[in-house]
């Protein structure tokens, strides 16, 4: 095994910690704005999908606040276990909200209604969130922070939900597929449950390479099971530039 990456030096760890706090603050700021716009637009248009999207943004804020709380400590590792639990619970809450809204929409035959502000906020999230998730995951991997990686997955789920919302709004407006949004949302909810279970157990993939190498031989290790193979390289998301 070659190319092992050792734990960052104290100076580098301080830089990475500041970056993670910055990314968490950016996530909180954007998601608060997103929540206000989505809840307002959903109320005006009577769109259950937009209201559900706004509630999801509130849940993501809770996850980012927990991460900020952890890295505000002089010894963030001491708060890692509790922060992972909080992030896991936010995944479960997200899945519950999305599932309940999707099932209700399917049961009553109600699709996402047309809303220009809703389409705009969904499109913006689809452009912004992948980049923010990648930057946070990259810093979390180098620092070896399971919580930063877990929160980056929460941010990435926002990307999927944005795509679901945008597709639902556009398909309903153009071809009348009112059920598309709810059906895809149930798939996202299942992914959120899986990620929540991993965060609860602390089985967060894609941590620092050196830690992954040390864990690779341990029985039951996520690295040993190959779940980090997709994160072997930190390629930026499409369209994010170098």
């Amino acid at each position: 095994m070659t190319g092992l990456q050792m734990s960052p030096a104290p100076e580098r760890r301080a830089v990475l910690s500041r970056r993670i706090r910055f990314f968490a603050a950016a996530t909180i700021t954007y998601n608060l704005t997103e929540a206000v716009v989505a809840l307002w637009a959903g109320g005006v248009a009577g769109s259950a999908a937009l209201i559900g999207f706004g509630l999801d943004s509130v849940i993501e804020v809770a996850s980012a606040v927990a991460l900020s709380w952890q890295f505000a400590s002089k010894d963030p590792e001491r708060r890692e276990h509790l922060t992972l639990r909080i992030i896991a619970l936010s995944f479960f809450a997200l899945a519950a909200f999305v599932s309940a809204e999707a099932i209700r929409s399917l049961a009553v035959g109600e699709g996402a209604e047309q809303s220009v502000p809703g389409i705009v906020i969904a499109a913006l999230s689809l452009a912004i969130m992948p980049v923010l998730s990648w930057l946070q995951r990259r810093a979390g991997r180098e620092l070896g922070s399971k919580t930063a990686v877990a929160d980056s997955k929460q941010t990435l789920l926002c990307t999927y939900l944005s795509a679901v919302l945008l597709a639902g709004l556009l398909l309903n407006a153009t071809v009348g597929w009112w059920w598309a949004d709810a059906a895809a949302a149930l798939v996202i909810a299942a992914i959120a449950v899986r990620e929540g279970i991993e965060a609860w157990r602390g089985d967060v993939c894609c941590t620092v390479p050196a830690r992954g190498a040390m864990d690779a031989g341990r029985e039951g290790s996520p690295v040993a099971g190959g779940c980090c193979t997709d994160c072997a390289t930190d390629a930026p998301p499409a369209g994010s530039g170098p």
Side-chain angles (χ1 to χ4, degrees):
M1 188 174 298
T2 60
L4 292 185
Q5 193 173 322
M6 303 307 294
S7 180
E11 295 80 7
R12 181 60 178 170
R13 292 181 66 85
V15 170
L16 292 170
S17 294
R18 286 195 297 270
R19 284 185 186 177
I20 290 172
R21 289 198 301 271
F22 172 79
F23 296 144
T27 299
I28 292 169
T29 302
Y30 181 81
N31 276 291
L32 283 174
T33 304
E34 183 181 75
V36 170
V37 174
L39 291 172
W40 169 77
V44 171
S47 171
L50 273 169
I51 292 174
F53 186 71
L55 292 175
D56 162 65
S57 299
V58 174
I59 293 170
E60 290 177 47
V61 168
S63 175
V65 167
L67 187 67
S68 297
W69 169 77
Q70 179 195 352
F71 280 89
S73 171
K74 293 182 179 180
D75 186 10
E77 286 77 10
R78 293 186 60 183
R79 295 181 174 180
E80 184 175 70
H81 179 73
L82 178 58
T83 305
L84 275 173
R85 292 297 174 90
I86 294 172
I87 292 174
L89 290 174
S90 71
F91 271 118
F92 297 144
L94 186 155
F97 273 119
V98 172
S99 297
E101 190 54 49
I103 292 171
R104 190 195 69 80
S105 296
L106 290 172
V108 302
E110 176 185 357
E113 299 186 14
Q114 298 183 38
S115 172
V116 173
I119 291 174
V120 171
I121 194 65
L124 281 174
S125 296
L126 196 57
I128 293 171
M129 287 303 177
V131 179
L132 184 57
S133 173
W134 173 71
L135 290 171
Q136 188 176 28
R137 186 181 72 246
R138 188 179 184 184
R141 286 192 66 211
E142 186 177 349
L143 185 61
S145 170
K146 293 182 179 181
T147 48
V149 174
D151 192 63
S152 74
K153 291 184 177 183
Q154 180 86 261
T155 304
L156 190 59
L157 270 180
C158 180
T159 303
Y160 301 151
L161 287 170
S162 301
V164 166
L165 177 66
L166 186 60
L169 290 169
L170 292 176
L171 287 173
N172 185 56
T174 56
V175 295
W177 288 6
W178 62 267
W179 47 266
D181 171 76
L186 289 175
V187 176
I188 300 301
I191 295 173
V193 170
R194 186 196 67 184
E195 301 292 356
I197 291 173
E198 288 184 357
W200 186 271
R201 292 174 176 172
D203 295 337
V204 180
C205 297
C206 307
T207 52
V208 67
R211 180 181 293 186
M214 290 185 290
D215 289 344
R218 297 177 185 172
E219 183 178 357
S221 166
V223 183
C227 84
C228 285
T229 54
D230 292 338
C231 298
T233 61
D234 272 318
S240 64

